[in-house]
Amino acid sequence: MNEELKKIEQEVNELTSKLTELKKEIHKVIVGQEEVLDQIIVSMLASGHILVEGMPGLAKTLMIKSISQALSLNFKRIQFTPDLMPTDILGTEVIEEDEHGHKKFKYNKGPIFSNIVLADEINRTPPKTQAALLEVMQEYSVTYGGTEYAMDKPFFILATQNPVEQSGTFPLPEAQTDRFLLYVLIGYPTESEESQILKQTTGKKPEPIKAVMTGEDLIKLQKYTREVHIEDELIDKVSKLVRLSRPESSSVEEVKNYVDFGAGPRAGQAIILASKAHALLQGRLAVTPKDITSVTYPAMRHRIMLNFRAESEGIITDQVIKELINTAKL
């Protein structure tokens, strides 16, 4: 048994060292954004999808494309527009004629059939097209014409939305946002980072990104992520934190005053899975309170609905989450 455990530990160490190499490759073209990059990798290790919000030009597309290159995975980008239809994403049936003149329907798969899919500006398309992603995000399959088509593994959706563009946008409904494991905010670079970006992007081209991991490596890491240990005491604290977000049963004043709807059980699942992935990313096989607090903000901010009073007083979701973390004593 000891030999088997040593073999598993050695494999985990080899795989986590590849995550370090992965980040080094991505930083060949991406300056800064360390926290955002960590959260994207955490989502992938936890087999979840991620919603990223940030201003245009902050390298969201470049970052996810670079990850796909370093992982040697297929990558597709879908630009969401007001006239985009579900078939533009999922695919459609076409009539084909064989050499004998017999006609039959053939399903042509859409761009969603890829390992990594960038859903760019997802809030610029109507709800009907947004809803086309619901099944594939939850079930990892597409049903068309009564036939189910499974996605290749690993499969990961990164969706982006612009916070300032109001005209012609369709905010994602709660059922849609809840499918995302994490909701990440990308801010502007620091002064030194911005200077480095200007030097790097206006000089000679950087070295090409090398593939340092395979899809099989990522699938193994996803399996080990679920096996990372977490104490029952920490699970109880996560449960308490999520329950405190519900105004009808909360003792937190900020929740009673500013929250319309609290988070459901999926929030607790997201926090625990993401904290396990965060621990593994740091080279540990057990979750600490620091792992939990590092993922609670992106796991909760899209699962708590603030009321009009919060909007009028300039209260944001992260302020409420901070009080929840303090009250749950994490």
Side-chain angles (χ1 to χ4, degrees):
M1 181 62 73
N2 287 336
E3 288 297 321
E4 186 178 345
L5 287 174
K6 285 180 181 178
K7 186 177 179 182
I8 291 173
E9 187 176 354
Q10 182 181 356
E11 184 177 30
V12 171
N13 289 335
E14 289 174 359
L15 289 170
T16 51
S17 68
K18 288 185 178 183
L19 290 175
T20 304
E21 292 299 314
L22 175 74
K23 292 173 70 174
K24 284 181 181 177
E25 288 299 312
I26 294 165
H27 280 306
K28 285 181 179 179
V29 294
I30 299 295
V31 176
Q33 302 291 7
E34 192 70 33
E35 185 178 353
V36 174
L37 179 56
D38 280 352
Q39 289 172 349
I40 291 175
I41 295 174
V42 160
S43 285
M44 298 179 78
L45 293 179
S47 305
H49 311 290
I50 191 166
L51 179 62
V52 178
E53 182 177 296
M55 296 290 288
L58 294 179
K60 299 185 291 291
T61 302
L62 181 61
M63 186 182 295
I64 194 66
K65 188 175 182 180
S66 301
I67 290 173
S68 68
Q69 291 172 339
L71 282 170
S72 188
L73 293 174
N74 294 325
F75 168 79
K76 293 284 179 64
R77 176 180 177 270
I78 305 172
Q79 178 61 56
F80 281 70
T81 57
D83 60 347
L84 193 73
M85 298 297 291
T87 52
D88 296 326
I89 300 171
L90 305 179
T92 186
E93 284 184 330
V94 295
I95 298 176
E96 280 195 344
E97 186 174 323
D98 61 21
E99 65 272 15
H100 304 294
H102 297 139
K103 295 180 180 179
K104 62 179 180 179
F105 285 102
K106 180 188 175 184
Y107 178 55
N108 279 353
K109 293 181 178 180
I112 196 68
F113 287 88
S114 186
N115 296 120
I116 298 180
V117 178
L118 174 63
D120 221 355
E121 297 181 300
I122 192 172
N123 59 334
R124 289 192 62 211
T125 201
K128 179 180 179 180
T129 305
Q130 291 175 1
L133 293 175
L134 286 174
E135 180 190 4
V136 69
M137 291 177 70
Q138 186 67 28
E139 307 296 336
Y140 291 78
S141 64
V142 171
T143 303
Y144 196 99
T147 303
E148 186 176 290
Y149 300 90
M151 312 303 295
D152 290 334
K153 300 289 181 68
F155 174 68
F156 172 71
I157 291 178
L158 183 142
T160 68
Q161 62 180 15
N162 188 337
V164 296
E165 185 180 13
Q166 300 297 326
S167 178
T169 59
F170 304 85
L172 293 175
E174 288 78 6
Q176 183 91 39
T177 55
D178 200 36
R179 294 293 199 282
F180 291 99
L181 184 80
L182 302 180
Y183 176 24
V184 177
L185 304 177
I186 293 186
Y188 286 113
T190 63
E191 184 177 351
S192 61
E193 288 173 349
E194 190 146 7
S195 295
Q196 181 62 28
I197 290 169
L198 296 178
K199 292 175 186 175
Q200 190 166 301
T201 56
T202 58
K204 63 180 182 180
K205 289 185 178 181
E207 295 179 30
I209 292 176
K210 296 183 296 185
V212 294
M213 285 181 66
T214 64
E216 288 74 18
D217 291 333
L218 181 56
I219 290 170
K220 286 179 182 178
L221 281 166
Q222 289 173 342
K223 174 179 174 289
Y224 286 128
T225 293
R226 287 186 168 266
E227 295 175 4
V228 170
H229 178 71
I230 180 170
E231 296 286 349
D232 288 345
E233 180 186 354
L234 291 179
I235 293 177
D236 291 340
K237 286 187 175 183
V238 171
S239 176
K240 180 181 179 181
L241 184 148
V242 173
R243 294 178 67 82
L244 283 170
S245 72
R246 302 164 190 166
E248 63 273 10
S249 59
S250 181
S251 60
V252 180
E253 284 301 314
E254 284 78 4
V255 172
K256 291 180 178 179
N257 293 333
Y258 301 120
V259 175
D260 258 347
F261 301 100
R266 193 175 279 163
Q269 294 169 343
I271 292 171
I272 290 173
L273 276 174
S275 62
K276 286 184 174 187
H278 188 270
L280 195 63
L281 181 60
Q282 304 301 317
R284 287 181 278 103
L285 296 176
V287 172
T288 66
K290 188 176 180 181
D291 294 316
I292 294 174
T293 55
S294 68
V295 302
T296 295
Y297 287 95
M300 290 279 284
R301 62 168 58 107
H302 56 307
R303 294 182 165 100
I304 295 176
M305 304 296 117
L306 301 183
N307 56 26
F308 177 75
R309 180 180 174 184
E311 185 179 347
S312 64
E313 295 183 18
I315 301 296
I316 62 173
T317 312
D318 281 14
Q319 292 172 255
V320 176
I321 295 172
K322 183 179 181 181
E323 292 303 318
L324 292 174
I325 290 172
N326 291 337
T327 306
K329 297 180 180 179
L330 278 165

